[in-house]
Amino acid sequence: MADSVENEIADASNRDEPQPPAEDETQPTKPNKEEKTEEEKRKETELDKYWKAVKDNPMDFTGWTYLLQYVEQEGDEKTCSIAYEAFFQRYPYCYGYWKKYSDMFKKHGDLIKAAEVFERGLKAIPLSIDLWLHYVTFYTTEFNAEENSEEKLRKLYERAIAAAGTDFRSDKLWDSYLSWEKSKERLRAVTSLYDRLLRVPTQLYSHHFDSFKAHINKHHPKDVLDLDEFLRVRQEVVVKTHNYTGDDEDVGLDVALGIDGPPGTDAPPGMDTSIDEAEIKKVRAKVIEIREAVFKQNESEVSKRWTFEEAIRRPYFHVKPLERAQLKNWREYLDFEIGTGSHQRIVVLFERCMIACALYEDFWMKYAKYLEQHSIEGVRNVYRRACEIHLPKKPYIHLAWAAFEERQGNYKTAQEILSLLDKNVPGLVMVAMRRISLERRQGNHAEAERLFQEYIEKTTSNKSRTFFSIKYTRYLQKVRGDTERARQIIKEAVELDKQNERLFLQMLDVEYQAQPVDEEHVLDVFQTVLSSDLSLEFKVKISQRRMEFLEDFGTCIRRITEAYDEHQKLVKDMNSGKRKNSETGDEPAEKKVKSDSTPNGNADPSVGVIAEQAPSYTGYPGWGSYPTYQTYHSQWGYPPPPPPPPSYNSGYNYY
């Protein structure tokens, strides 16, 4: 029986996190309608309602607790298993529910599965002191009569200490282990445990030292110390008691101690077991003195961490947000431990932090960044836990994971991460661009172009379509060197959104970047803009650019003078309109449009906040360094034109 338990537990510990139930197992199998009783129909209907609540909103923690309460009340093993498995896919840090899950199997007499649940729970949350103690109690109760049960339980305690023994609040676990060893009257093992414990900064460090002193004073030194230490300490005490220094070559240790008799009749110093009470007290004092030095050093380590530990108000997992002060304390505590602690303690503190801050991606990213110096597989495990369990819809942690895998040369994994995120959280421009950039870096231009076209076609937001069209145009011209296709893409975008000034500017940029510059193409774009329904102010700016272009690249003086005449007329019309609006008190139509289009919370939900922020077009080159149009009158003999409105004197840098 015990061997089978060990084998089953070993198999369970090698498994991954709980797998989600199959699609057809999310609810208990329904019997044929003819076989259902009224009571079965009622229960099935109630169960469906509880399941519907968590399916509609998987992040509804309260809904999950209601579902688990219901299946526990009904007591059906299969129904309970399905509900718990689905729950732990999202909330594996809830140690209390692992215990309930195990108790359910124990109630049905399946001890193997009950032990397996404990193993899975401790794999998911190895720092849970309470879950370790529950497991120890379960093992003691159910398998205490089995062969070698004592040794197996000791191994279980050692696993618990290795996993959670350095936790600042692990005192209950140490006390349980010590009490169990004392109950077995393994006094030397108890002393050995104290030696380990006194070096660990814990909350009850002083209590443990007092318990150690009581342990030493209660028992004979030779019963609580290993032989080598006992002999060494007693010899030191005896030598010091009789003031023997070894300086006098004529006086041996036996003479100094007043030992009579021929050699061999009495044990040498340190070997005599007939110790009087005075010596016993001195040996005990010496043993405590040696440990006190360790205790003082540990006390210093505790004092460094005490303020941080006192500030932790919620060390367990909960879906409710943490207070800012709590988050700040965790960040400062981690920084302190990274700067002064050992790798083991740093990892333990990170794991503690991940329990309380599981829903904050910046902590996961900080953990992964730290582990990059120590273990690549450890980094991957952190990202996997964060992205697949706790933060399946948080973009930044997924982007960081994809970047990490790409740095390791795992391009396929990076593609899968980004593709899954794009599917789970559609409409994020930065995710789309990261997917495209990944393909571009790998030289997979066909896939990059396919993604560009897909995003342009499926978006329902003009702003996002404009963004992708401009990015695609740049890609075709700058990366692929295909100016003709770049012209085609931007023209198609303009046909769909003829009021978007940025698209017209990109059309100009394509022509400006062509090698060599084609004057006719550029002038055609200028004419398209000036003949459109865009605002008069925008046309004035574009007209100024046309004069600048002709001055720099034009081949016909007549075109330059004609452009100047047209520009003068546009400026006059614009100033006339502004004076008229000033007299009537009306706002220009385009200003009203801008004010009306201010986000009010009813933005296109398919784009999302990040998508709305992304198309900022900040990468375009500014043209503000060109001379303003007022300087042209001196070159062509025209009278100085009236000055434009103050807002345009600074030149034009629309991007």
Side-chain angles (χ1 to χ4, degrees):
M1 174 65 178
D3 292 339
S4 63
V5 171
E6 289 296 316
N7 293 335
E8 290 289 338
I9 291 175
D11 291 341
S13 63
N14 291 327
R15 299 174 186 170
D16 293 332
E17 299 292 343
Q19 297 299 314
E23 191 67 28
D24 58 348
E25 293 183 358
T26 54
Q27 297 184 29
T29 304
K30 299 180 180 179
N32 295 329
K33 292 184 178 180
E34 297 178 355
E35 301 176 358
K36 294 180 182 177
T37 65
E38 290 298 325
E39 181 64 17
E40 289 173 338
K41 290 180 180 179
R42 181 190 63 79
K43 291 182 178 180
E44 185 177 283
T45 301
E46 291 180 358
L47 181 59
D48 289 341
K49 291 179 179 179
Y50 284 116
W51 270 110
K52 184 178 184 304
V54 296
K55 284 183 176 181
D56 291 344
N57 182 13
M59 308 308 293
D60 180 9
F61 184 82
T62 303
W64 281 104
T65 61
Y66 287 148
L67 171 63
L68 296 180
Q69 289 174 5
Y70 178 80
V71 295
E72 288 173 7
Q73 178 181 343
E74 295 302 319
D76 180 75
E77 182 176 342
K78 182 178 180 181
T79 303
C80 284
S81 295
I82 294 171
Y84 273 111
E85 292 294 337
F87 172 77
F88 287 129
Q89 280 297 302
R90 292 167 177 84
Y91 304 107
Y93 282 165
C94 298
Y95 75 89
Y97 286 96
W98 285 106
K99 168 130 186 345
K100 290 183 178 182
Y101 192 16
S102 177
D103 288 344
M104 185 272 294
F105 283 117
K106 178 181 176 182
K107 180 180 178 181
H108 287 85
D110 196 337
L111 299 181
I112 299 299
K113 285 188 177 180
E116 180 181 325
V117 167
F118 273 120
E119 288 288 341
R120 292 172 60 196
L122 289 168
K123 182 179 179 181
I125 181 171
L127 289 181
S128 176
I129 305 299
D130 291 316
L131 193 57
W132 278 112
L133 292 177
H134 286 313
Y135 192 13
V136 167
T137 301
F138 165 80
Y139 201 96
T140 304
T141 304
E142 303 301 330
F143 302 113
N144 194 44
E146 300 294 336
E147 184 179 357
N148 298 325
S149 61
E150 180 176 324
E151 186 60 30
K152 291 176 181 178
L153 186 56
R154 184 171 290 108
K155 289 181 179 179
L156 182 58
Y157 267 121
E158 286 296 329
R159 283 178 55 201
I161 292 297
T166 54
D167 190 329
F168 192 83
R169 307 189 184 195
S170 61
D171 305 280
K172 290 192 298 183
L173 178 61
W174 285 100
D175 283 341
S176 176
Y177 194 4
L178 287 165
S179 297
W180 181 74
E181 289 288 16
K182 289 176 182 178
S183 70
K184 301 300 180 181
E185 297 184 353
R186 299 181 74 249
L187 300 181
R188 291 176 179 173
V190 172
T191 305
S192 178
L193 275 178
Y194 274 120
D195 284 339
R196 294 161 63 185
L197 174 56
L198 293 177
R199 289 177 168 82
V200 179
T202 64
Q203 189 174 28
L204 303 180
Y205 73 100
S206 181
H207 157 75
H208 298 315
F209 187 56
D210 291 340
S211 298
F212 169 74
K213 290 188 290 185
H215 167 69
I216 294 298
N217 291 326
K218 182 178 180 181
H219 304 284
H220 195 288
K222 67 182 178 64
D223 295 330
V224 297
L225 302 175
D226 64 67
L227 182 59
D228 291 337
E229 182 180 8
F230 169 68
L231 296 178
R232 183 179 67 254
V233 172
R234 180 175 181 269
Q235 184 169 345
E236 292 176 4
V237 169
V238 170
V239 169
K240 185 176 181 180
T241 300
H242 296 278
N243 295 319
Y244 176 72
T245 63
D247 294 335
D248 191 347
E249 296 180 357
D250 297 329
V251 180
L253 180 60
D254 55 345
V255 176
L257 297 177
I259 300 175
D260 299 324
T265 59
D266 296 304
M271 293 294 291
D272 189 0
T273 56
S274 57
I275 309 176
D276 59 31
E277 191 63 29
E279 286 187 358
I280 291 177
K281 289 182 179 180
K282 292 179 181 179
V283 170
R284 286 171 174 162
K286 183 65 175 178
V287 170
I288 293 174
E289 179 186 341
I290 294 172
R291 267 67 174 189
E292 188 169 10
V294 177
F295 167 74
K296 292 295 185 183
Q297 177 63 32
N298 191 45
E299 185 175 45
S300 174
E301 295 297 318
V302 171
S303 65
K304 295 176 184 177
R305 296 164 174 81
W306 193 265
T307 302
F308 296 117
E309 291 290 344
E310 284 290 294
I312 298 175
R313 296 286 179 261
R314 198 180 79 186
Y316 53 86
F317 170 81
H318 204 287
V319 294
K320 293 182 179 179
L322 276 171
E323 299 173 355
R324 289 186 179 181
Q326 291 283 289
L327 297 174
K328 180 175 180 289
N329 181 67
W330 277 114
R331 292 189 183 97
E332 293 177 349
Y333 197 179
L334 288 169
D335 290 339
F336 163 78
E337 201 68 61
I338 291 173
T340 61
S342 65
H343 175 64
Q344 181 184 10
R345 288 202 59 82
I346 294 169
V347 170
V348 169
L349 184 61
F350 263 117
E351 290 294 340
R352 288 179 62 196
C353 176
M354 292 306 103
I355 295 173
C357 307
L359 303 181
Y360 294 88
E361 58 185 337
D362 59 313
F363 286 99
W364 288 101
M365 294 171 72
K366 187 181 184 74
Y367 191 9
K369 182 178 180 180
Y370 168 76
L371 285 180
E372 283 190 18
Q373 310 167 35
H374 302 275
S375 170
I376 296 300
E377 192 56 39
V379 176
R380 184 171 290 115
N381 181 52
V382 168
Y383 278 128
R384 183 178 294 113
R385 287 159 56 196
C387 296
E388 295 181 356
I389 300 175
H390 303 285
L391 306 170
K393 293 188 177 183
K394 293 285 187 178
Y396 294 107
I397 187 72
H398 285 80
L399 295 177
W401 186 15
F404 165 77
E405 294 295 353
E406 186 178 358
R407 291 197 301 273
Q408 306 307 314
N410 301 322
Y411 306 115
K412 183 175 177 58
T413 303
Q415 290 170 336
E416 292 172 352
I417 294 168
L418 294 175
S419 179
L420 183 61
L421 176 61
D422 201 12
K423 179 181 177 181
N424 291 337
V425 192
L428 297 183
V429 171
M430 62 179 177
V431 176
M433 290 309 302
R434 186 65 66 86
R435 291 186 66 190
I436 293 170
S437 297
L438 174 62
E439 301 299 340
R440 175 182 55 78
R441 287 190 291 271
Q442 299 309 308
N444 192 357
H445 297 294
E447 179 64 14
E449 292 180 22
R450 186 194 70 78
L451 289 173
F452 266 126
Q453 293 168 353
E454 177 183 323
Y455 289 125
I456 291 173
E457 292 171 0
K458 74 179 183 180
T459 184
T460 58
S461 165
N462 283 339
K463 181 174 284 189
S464 291
R465 185 184 297 108
T466 297
F467 175 79
F468 286 120
S469 297
I470 291 175
K471 288 289 188 180
Y472 192 18
T473 300
R474 289 180 179 178
Y475 170 83
L476 289 172
Q477 186 174 41
K478 303 286 188 180
V479 179
R480 305 293 289 152
D482 193 341
T483 299
E484 192 58 40
R485 288 184 63 197
R487 290 189 181 111
Q488 178 184 349
I489 293 300
I490 199 63
K491 286 179 181 178
E492 291 175 356
V494 168
E495 288 298 320
L496 294 173
D497 191 3
K498 296 182 179 181
Q499 299 298 315
N500 196 311
E501 298 171 357
R502 294 182 176 92
L503 291 174
F504 287 101
L505 292 172
Q506 180 60 36
M507 290 180 70
L508 282 173
D509 186 65
V510 170
E511 301 304 336
Y512 266 76
Q513 299 298 325
Q515 297 292 332
V517 175
D518 189 320
E519 181 181 357
E520 296 300 326
H521 276 139
V522 177
L523 292 177
D524 287 343
V525 174
F526 278 126
Q527 189 58 40
T528 300
V529 177
L530 295 174
S531 61
S532 67
D533 295 331
L534 295 170
S535 68
L536 190 57
E537 283 84 353
F538 182 69
K539 289 181 180 181
V540 169
K541 298 173 185 179
I542 293 299
S543 176
Q544 179 180 329
R545 298 304 169 262
R546 182 173 64 172
M547 290 191 300
E548 294 165 357
F549 171 78
L550 289 172
E551 179 67 21
D552 292 340
F553 304 105
T555 58
C556 178
I557 190 64
R558 182 176 295 146
R559 283 179 172 174
I560 298 177
T561 56
E562 289 175 354
Y564 185 80
D565 288 339
E566 292 180 16
H567 183 73
Q568 289 289 77
K569 183 178 181 302
L570 286 172
V571 172
K572 182 178 179 180
D573 293 343
M574 181 181 67
N575 290 337
S576 175
K578 287 188 174 293
R579 283 193 296 270
K580 184 183 296 183
N581 291 329
S582 177
E583 293 172 358
T584 60
D586 295 334
E587 289 184 346
E590 58 275 7
K591 189 172 182 181
K592 290 183 178 180
V593 171
K594 290 182 180 179
S595 62
D596 291 343
S597 62
T598 301
N600 57 4
N602 297 322
D604 186 347
S606 67
V607 180
V609 175
I610 299 177
E612 290 295 327
Q613 294 173 348
S616 60
Y617 314 97
T618 55
Y620 285 92
W623 289 334
S625 59
Y626 286 98
T628 58
Y629 69 89
Q630 289 93 333
T631 62
Y632 283 91
H633 74 276
S634 60
Q635 300 179 34
W636 307 110
Y638 288 93
S647 59
Y648 301 105
N649 282 338
S650 59
Y652 175 55
N653 190 356
Y654 196 77
Y655 299 106

